[in-house]
């Protein structure tokens, strides 16, 4: 038995930057691991975290990261701009040399790319049935999440409140529509 969601904190798509971060793995090793995991568990969702603007990150390093994200197609991706923190390896060994405006532009570009990937992956879920836990009722909807979604961080599943569901219970939900981060479905379908 294995969870269908796995978080692998990539941090960067450039082996040069991963080495500078003192991560102990290369981009190629990360790719091999992700492929092996997907071979063993084909329906697994992969999530990651990425830092943009790490000291020494060039435009070429960033473009390499974007290409890597395009190819890997993470289900979820958290991205952050580098900020120097006293006492860390990076703060002790590198000068924070990437301008804040460049960091923000890179973050925006990365998240725009991921938004498109997320929407494509969500659109592929239309017509499938996903086990969903109902977290709350808000407005006209019950709001739940699948095994692929962390609470308060990832996308949500919206189900019309007329379906009379119970918060805290699991339901099989037929996905009828999708946006970049959220799914819309129903529990009322022929099984």
């Amino acid at each position: 038995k294995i969870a269908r969601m796995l978080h692998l904190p990539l941090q960067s798509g450039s082996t040069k930057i991963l080495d500078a971060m003192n991560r102990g793995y290369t981009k190629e090793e990360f790719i091999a691991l992700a492929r092996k995991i997907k071979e063993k568990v084909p329906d697994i969702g992969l999530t990651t975290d990425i830092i943009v603007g790490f000291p020494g990150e060039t435009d070429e390093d960033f473009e390499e990261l974007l290409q890597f994200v395009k190819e890997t197609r993470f289900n979820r991706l958290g991205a952050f701009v580098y900020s120097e923190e006293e006492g860390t390896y990076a703060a002790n060994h590198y000068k924070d040399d990437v301008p804040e405006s460049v960091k923000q532009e890179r973050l925006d570009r990365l998240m725009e790319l991921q938004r498109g990937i997320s929407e494509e992956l969500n659109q592929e879920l239309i017509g499938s049935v996903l086990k969903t836990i109902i977290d709350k009722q808000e407005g006209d909807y019950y709001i739940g999440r699948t095994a692929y979604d962390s609470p308060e961080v990832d996308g949500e599943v919206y189900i019309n409140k007329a379906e009379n569901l119970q918060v805290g219970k699991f339901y099989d939900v037929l996905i009828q529509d999708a946006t970049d981060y959220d799914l819309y479905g129903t529990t009322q379908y022929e099984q």
Side-chain angles (χ1 to χ4, degrees), residues 50-54 79-83 100 102-107:
I50 293 176
I51 297 170
V52 296
F54 190 83
F80 311 91
V81 296
Y82 172 80
S83 63
E100 291 301 319
V102 172
K103 291 177 188 178
Q104 188 60 51
E105 185 266 335
R106 288 177 181 170
L107 178 67

Side-chain angles (χ1 to χ4, degrees), residues 52-191:
V52 296
F54 190 83
E57 182 183 73
T58 64
D59 289 341
E60 291 77 21
D61 295 323
F62 180 69
E63 291 300 325
E64 187 177 344
L65 167 65
L66 291 179
Q67 188 58 42
F68 179 73
V69 169
K70 282 180 195 174
E71 292 170 7
T72 307
R73 295 173 50 91
F74 292 100
N75 294 76
R76 306 285 185 262
L77 181 148
F80 311 91
V81 296
Y82 172 80
S83 63
E84 190 173 270
E85 292 189 32
E86 189 176 329
T88 63
Y89 179 85
N92 292 334
H93 291 86
Y94 302 107
K95 180 180 183 296
D96 187 0
D97 61 354
V98 179
E100 291 301 319
S101 61
V102 172
K103 291 177 188 178
Q104 188 60 51
E105 185 266 335
R106 288 177 181 170
L107 178 67
D108 293 345
R109 285 184 60 202
L110 176 60
M111 292 313 296
E112 185 62 30
L113 171 62
Q114 181 59 33
R115 188 175 297 111
I117 292 168
S118 180
E119 184 163 15
E120 288 172 12
L121 293 173
N122 278 352
Q123 291 293 321
E124 291 172 8
L125 294 173
I126 294 174
S128 66
V129 175
L130 300 177
K131 188 172 207 153
T132 303
I133 188 168
I134 304 302
D135 287 330
K136 59 187 171 185
Q137 181 187 342
E138 234 175 57
D140 292 336
Y141 293 96
Y142 287 101
I143 300 173
R145 60 189 158 82
T146 70
Y148 300 104
D149 302 305
S150 296
E152 300 179 20
V153 176
D154 293 325
E156 297 173 317
V157 180
Y158 290 84
I159 304 155
N160 190 303
K161 76 174 183 182
E163 295 194 27
N164 199 24
L165 308 179
Q166 291 183 341
V167 172
K169 298 255 181 187
F170 285 93
Y171 295 91
D172 289 331
V173 176
L174 173 66
I175 304 304
Q176 298 171 305
D177 198 7
T179 63
D180 48 5
Y181 295 116
D182 297 320
L183 302 171
Y184 296 82
T186 183
T187 61
Q188 299 174 351
Y189 62 95
E190 288 188 30
Q191 299 185 16

Side-chain angles (χ1 to χ4, degrees), residues 2-10 29-50 68-69 71-78 114 117-118 121 147-150 154:
I2 187 168
R4 294 296 188 243
M5 179 59 73
L6 184 61
H7 185 77
L8 299 172
L10 171 64
E29 290 169 331
F30 187 94
I31 290 169
L33 176 61
R35 281 191 183 133
K36 186 175 181 179
I37 291 167
K38 285 184 176 186
E39 285 172 11
K40 298 280 185 192
V41 187
D43 64 337
I44 198 160
L46 292 180
T47 67
T48 197
D49 294 319
I50 293 176
F68 179 73
V69 169
E71 292 170 7
T72 307
R73 295 173 50 91
F74 292 100
N75 294 76
R76 306 285 185 262
L77 181 148
Q114 181 59 33
I117 292 168
S118 180
L121 293 173
Y148 300 104
D149 302 305
S150 296
D154 293 325

